[in-house]
């Protein structure tokens, strides 16, 4: 087994010893580019893309990105297609305010269960099957909306269409398997944000389709029914495209790779166990319930709110309401981008503070929206609220991939389900009875957002710390390798099953430990910043002091340097040089750490 590259005990990066690879050992804080892999984009050792080219169709990374967000966008359109047409539908079906509120709850409640299932499907079968089959299986329910005759049928169909929102889980999981952790906040934010944009697009699309059908001669009560054939056909088309053009992993589909023995099959009970026993999972379920959850609730009521409160025309109310969902085009990617940037300077603490600030501001603006008395003020408050809530969603999934490597699918599913549960709860409490006006309900919902964001202060990673507390002082437990490796038993480690988790730990390290290493500001990295890092030797010792390099690995590196005298540059330095252009482009201030290779 020691002769197989990457197996425990094998030689790695010039190490000549045959001892078992220590769990904390890493060859470099930078995972080198795999130049033997044939991909359109530069990739890391896991073949995850290291760059994000938004307008590219590079296969498989960017093709997967576009298939993922468009399929999620389609499901959002169909789930909330009824919302902008409620003033017409309620007259046709004689719906009461309670019927409308219950249907809104039903539309987001269906995906609570489906998102939980989707997480397991992604972990065990792959995101391609999960996304394609779900979107096609829910297509008939979208067509069924054209045939409902009463309040019961309306509620049941909206409940079943809501199952399709579980494509959110496959979307986020898929991005995490295709893109490097350094850019995952931006990628996840963009994919989900553009998908969520369907909630705003449908506010604009469905009234236009309704109007066109009406101009063609259909009565209003017939026109709204015909309009639902548009999202129904979109489901079928996107399902076929995902199934035929999508790919589970950079190297192929999950089932094929498992048959070849290139990817190990995991056990559902273990994947589930490590997800539900991680307390961070449940905090983010709550947090997402009052970022994504309130966004879903608002999608259901915002058009009716403007229509009734300010006596607007249906098309005008729909146009204003559309801006709430359409803000996802920039707001959610912005949240992911800010999370990534904050991590570069402040590690995980920066990501957590970013989430708290964005979500709290969203709650404050939601309170203002409910209390607005004029149309301009209401529109301004709505836009600011949408930016805060949606950016918080992006910031949330800038953290989710770091909670667990092994149980990422389940945790993504639970978090997504939390969003739907929060939406269902707020709609049930504030928008399903005549006890509150819609404006009062929005204000109370804002108060709940502010309060339910506070638990983010309790999230602590032993290797990175929390909003207020530093990382663990325990030498071994304060490392990424220990945190992600603890999800595997010793027997599984002996088989090498944890190697992907260790690679992920390496990928997630360099930005997360700047503060732990004692580099508090960017100025310590730039030229002229003093003697923060004079050589790789000092860099290694600084990392060893906080447990980022094991004593065994430190000794190996010392021996390797001594054995490479006269070679000009040691093997580790070659990796630095090969990646220098990448870091120079994306993280200029960090490249000064590695300028020593010119002098070696």
């Amino acid at each position: 087994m020691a002769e197989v590259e990457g197996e425990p005990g094998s030689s790695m990066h010039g190490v000549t010893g045959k001892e078992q690879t220590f769990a904390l050992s890493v060859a470099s804080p930078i995972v080198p580019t795999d130049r033997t892999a044939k991909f359109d984009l530069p990739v890391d050792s896991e073949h995850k893309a290291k760059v994000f080219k938004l307008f590219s169709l590079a296969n498989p990374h960017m093709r997967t990105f576009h298939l993922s967000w468009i399929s999620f966008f389609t499901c959002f359109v169909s789930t909330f297609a009824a919302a902008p047409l409620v003033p017409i539908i309620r007259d046709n079906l004689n719906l009461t305010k309670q019927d409308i509120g219950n249907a809104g709850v039903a539309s987001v409640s269906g995906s609570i269960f489906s998102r939980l299932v989707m997480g397991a499907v992604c972990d065990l079968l792959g995101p391609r099957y999960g996304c394609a089959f779900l979107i096609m299986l829910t297509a008939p329910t979208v067509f069924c909306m054209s045939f409902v005759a009463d309040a019961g049928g309306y509620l049941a169909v909206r409940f079943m269409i809501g199952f399709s929102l579980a494509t959110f889980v496959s979307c986020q999981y898929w991005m995490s398997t295709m893109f490097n952790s350094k850019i995952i906040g931006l990628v996840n934010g963009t994919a989900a944000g553009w998908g969520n944009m369907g909630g705003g697009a449908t506010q604009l699309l469905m009234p236009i389709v309704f109007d066109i059908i009406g101009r063609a001669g259909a009565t209003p009560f017939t026109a709204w029914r015909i309009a639902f054939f548009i999202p129904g056909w979109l489901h079928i088309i996107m399902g076929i495209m995902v199934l035929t053009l999508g790919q589970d992993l950079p190297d192929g589909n999950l089932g094929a790779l498992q048959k070849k023995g290139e990817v190990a099959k995991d056990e559902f009970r273990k994947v589930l166990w490590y997800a539900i026993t991680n307390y961070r999972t449940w905090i983010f379920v709550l947090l997402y319930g009052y970022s994504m959850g309130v966004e879903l609730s608002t999608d259901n009521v915002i058009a009716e709110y403007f229509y009734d409160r300010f006596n607007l025309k249906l098309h005008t109310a729909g146009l204003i309401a559309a801006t709430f969902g359409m803000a996802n085009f920039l707001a959610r990617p912005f949240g992911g981008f800010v999370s990534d940037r904050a991590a570069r300077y402040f590690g995980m603490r920066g990501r957590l503070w970013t989430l708290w600030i964005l979500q709290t501001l969203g709650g404050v603006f939601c309170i203002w929206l409910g209390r607005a008395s004029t149309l301009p003020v209401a529109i301004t408050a709505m836009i600011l609220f949408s930016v805060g809530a949606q950016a918080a969603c992006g910031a949330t999934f800038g953290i989710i991939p770091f909670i667990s490597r092994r149980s990422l699918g389940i945790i993504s599913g639970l978090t997504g389900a939390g969003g739907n549960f929060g939406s269902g709860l707020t709609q049930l409490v504030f928008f399903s009875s005549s006890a509150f006006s819609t404006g009062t309900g929005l204000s109370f919902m804002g108060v709940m957002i502010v309060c339910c964001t506070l638990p983010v202060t309790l999230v602590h990673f032993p290797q990175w710390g929390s909003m207020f507390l530093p990382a663990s002082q325990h030498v071994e437990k304060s490392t990424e390798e220990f945190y992600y490796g603890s999800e595997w038993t010793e027997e599984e480690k002996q088989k090498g099953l944890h190697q992907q988790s260790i690679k992920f730990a390496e990928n997630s390290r360099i930005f997360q430990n700047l503060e732990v290493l004692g580099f508090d500001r960017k100025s310590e990295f730039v030229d002229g910043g003093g003697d923060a890092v004079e050589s790789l030797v000092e860099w290694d010792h600084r990392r060893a002091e906080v447990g980022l390099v094991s004593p065994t690995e430190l000794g190996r590196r010392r021996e390797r340097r001594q054995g490479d005298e006269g070679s000009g540059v040691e093997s580790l330095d070659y990796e630095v040089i090969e990646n220098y252009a990448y870091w120079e482009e994306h993280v200029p201030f960090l490249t000064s750490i590695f300028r020593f290779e010119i002098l070696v």
Side-chain angles (χ1 to χ4, degrees):
M1 182 170 63
E3 297 301 319
V4 181
E5 182 179 358
E7 289 290 332
S10 66
S11 175
M12 300 180 68
H13 298 289
V15 178
T16 58
K18 294 296 182 179
E19 68 273 15
Q20 180 174 330
T21 300
F22 188 59
L24 302 181
S25 67
V26 288
S28 168
I30 299 177
V31 179
T33 298
D34 187 346
R35 302 190 183 280
T36 64
K38 296 181 180 180
F39 293 99
D40 295 335
L41 299 178
V43 297
D44 62 17
S45 58
E46 296 179 90
H47 294 172
K48 294 180 180 181
K50 298 168 66 174
V51 296
F52 180 47
K53 294 186 177 181
L54 188 59
F55 300 106
S56 168
L57 291 176
N59 189 38
H61 303 92
M62 293 310 303
R63 178 190 292 181
T64 297
F65 166 79
H66 290 295
L67 287 173
S68 183
W69 80 260
I70 294 174
S71 60
F72 185 38
F73 177 94
T74 299
C75 294
F76 246 91
V77 168
S78 60
T79 299
F80 295 101
L85 301 180
V86 160
I88 306 301
I89 297 174
R90 69 185 178 190
D91 292 338
N92 188 192
L93 303 180
N94 297 317
L95 303 178
T96 65
K97 180 178 176 61
Q98 185 173 3
D99 292 331
I100 296 171
N102 290 338
V105 174
S107 68
V108 297
S109 298
S111 63
I112 294 176
F113 173 74
S114 63
R115 286 188 171 188
L116 294 174
V117 174
M118 180 64 82
V121 170
C122 288
D123 278 326
L124 303 176
L125 299 179
R128 181 178 66 103
Y129 277 151
C131 179
F133 289 158
L134 179 61
I135 198 172
M136 287 193 288
L137 287 173
T138 51
T141 64
V142 182
F143 290 117
C144 284
M145 181 61 81
S146 301
F147 305 102
V148 297
D150 54 30
Y154 176 71
L155 187 148
V157 171
R158 291 208 66 187
F159 174 78
M160 290 186 289
I161 295 175
F163 274 70
S164 66
L165 290 183
T167 49
F168 165 77
V169 178
S170 61
C171 171
Q172 300 293 272
Y173 181 93
W174 223 345
M175 296 304 95
S176 298
T177 64
M178 288 289 178
F179 293 90
N180 183 270
S181 61
K182 303 302 183 300
I183 56 174
I184 196 58
L186 175 61
V187 177
N188 267 343
T190 304
W194 286 17
N196 283 2
M197 193 169 59
T202 196
Q203 303 278 356
L204 182 63
L205 174 65
M206 295 305 288
I208 291 176
V209 172
F210 170 80
D211 187 59
I212 292 174
I213 296 172
R215 290 175 182 272
T219 64
F221 289 173
T222 301
W224 77 261
R225 297 175 183 273
I226 298 175
F228 273 87
F229 279 83
I230 301 299
W233 277 108
L234 289 176
H235 269 244
I236 295 176
I237 293 170
M238 283 309 304
I240 294 173
M241 290 182 66
V242 169
L243 194 60
T244 56
L245 301 177
Q247 184 172 303
D248 289 319
L249 300 167
D251 295 315
N253 289 317
L254 182 61
L257 294 175
Q258 288 177 337
K259 289 180 180 178
K260 294 178 181 178
E262 297 180 16
V263 176
K265 290 185 177 181
D266 213 334
E267 299 181 41
F268 173 71
R269 63 181 181 85
K270 291 185 177 180
V271 174
L272 179 63
W273 173 254
Y274 287 113
I276 64 176
T277 55
N278 191 323
Y279 80 92
R280 300 168 193 84
T281 300
W282 302 108
I283 291 179
F284 278 92
V285 168
L286 174 63
L287 291 171
Y288 203 61
Y290 286 92
S291 57
M292 181 62 182
V294 298
E295 181 185 346
L296 297 176
S297 296
T298 307
D299 281 334
N300 269 323
V301 302
I302 194 66
E304 184 184 11
Y305 170 69
F306 279 100
Y307 179 84
D308 291 335
R309 182 157 185 168
F310 299 104
N311 298 314
L312 303 178
K313 295 181 179 179
L314 180 63
H315 178 73
T316 304
L319 184 62
I320 294 173
T323 61
F324 179 85
M326 294 296 286
N328 272 291
F329 183 79
L330 294 176
R332 189 154 181 163
F334 170 75
F337 173 78
V338 172
S339 180
D340 288 342
R341 294 292 295 182
R344 293 184 180 184
Y345 294 96
F346 306 105
M348 181 56 70
R349 178 172 292 180
R351 291 188 185 273
L352 294 171
W353 272 101
T354 296
L355 173 58
W356 179 80
I357 292 171
L358 291 172
Q359 192 156 321
T360 300
L361 286 175
V364 171
F365 291 129
C366 183
I367 296 172
W368 187 25
L369 171 61
R371 298 175 63 85
S373 57
T374 64
L375 183 60
V377 171
I379 293 175
T380 302
M382 181 197 69
I383 293 174
L384 293 175
F385 165 43
S386 69
V387 171
Q390 293 159 12
C393 292
T396 297
F397 272 84
I399 300 172
I400 291 296
F402 296 99
I403 294 178
S404 170
R405 173 64 174 83
R406 187 175 190 179
S407 302
L408 175 60
I410 296 289
I411 293 175
S412 297
L414 286 168
T415 305
N420 289 80
F421 180 80
S423 175
L425 180 62
T426 54
Q427 287 189 90
L428 186 64
V429 173
F430 300 127
F431 305 114
S432 296
S433 69
S434 56
F436 304 109
S437 67
T438 304
T440 301
L442 286 169
S443 293
F444 284 158
M445 185 171 70
V447 173
M448 288 193 69
I449 295 170
V450 174
C451 294
C452 292
T453 304
L454 293 176
V456 72
T457 59
L458 303 177
V459 176
H460 184 276
F461 290 89
Q463 69 274 38
W464 301 317
S466 64
M467 288 176 63
F468 298 106
L469 299 177
S472 171
Q473 298 302 309
H474 193 284
V475 174
E476 182 180 10
K477 292 183 179 180
S478 63
T479 64
E480 289 81 355
E481 284 81 2
F482 180 86
Y483 179 79
Y484 294 111
S486 63
E487 297 181 319
W488 303 87
T489 65
E490 288 302 319
E491 181 181 355
E492 290 171 328
K493 290 179 181 179
Q494 291 294 332
K495 296 177 181 179
L497 300 180
H498 70 310
Q499 289 301 318
Q500 292 300 318
S501 293
I502 298 304
K503 287 182 180 180
F504 181 80
E506 295 175 11
N507 288 336
S508 65
R509 173 180 298 107
I510 195 164
F511 292 135
Q512 305 296 344
N513 285 288
L514 302 185
E515 187 174 21
V516 162
L517 287 168
F519 306 125
D520 297 323
R521 292 291 184 269
K522 172 181 175 180
S523 60
E524 295 195 51
F525 291 97
V526 299
D527 292 334
D531 58 351
V533 181
E534 296 179 348
S535 67
L536 179 61
V537 176
E538 182 177 347
W539 172 251
D540 275 350
H541 280 285
R542 293 287 290 276
R543 296 176 68 240
E545 289 175 1
V546 292
L548 299 182
V549 177
S550 71
T552 302
E553 177 64 13
L554 196 61
R556 289 176 181 173
R557 294 185 181 193
R558 186 180 300 111
E559 292 175 4
R560 188 168 66 220
R561 291 193 185 93
Q562 294 173 352
D564 285 340
E565 291 182 2
S567 64
V569 182
E570 59 173 284
S571 59
L572 177 60
D573 299 330
Y574 279 120
E575 294 170 9
V576 173
I577 292 173
E578 288 179 355
N579 287 275
Y580 188 87
Y582 172 78
W583 293 106
E584 182 75 50
E585 177 184 356
H586 293 278
V587 201
F589 73 86
L590 281 180
T591 57
S592 60
I593 297 175
F594 305 113
R595 292 181 190 272
F596 69 88
E597 79 272 9
I598 300 174
L599 305 175
V600 175

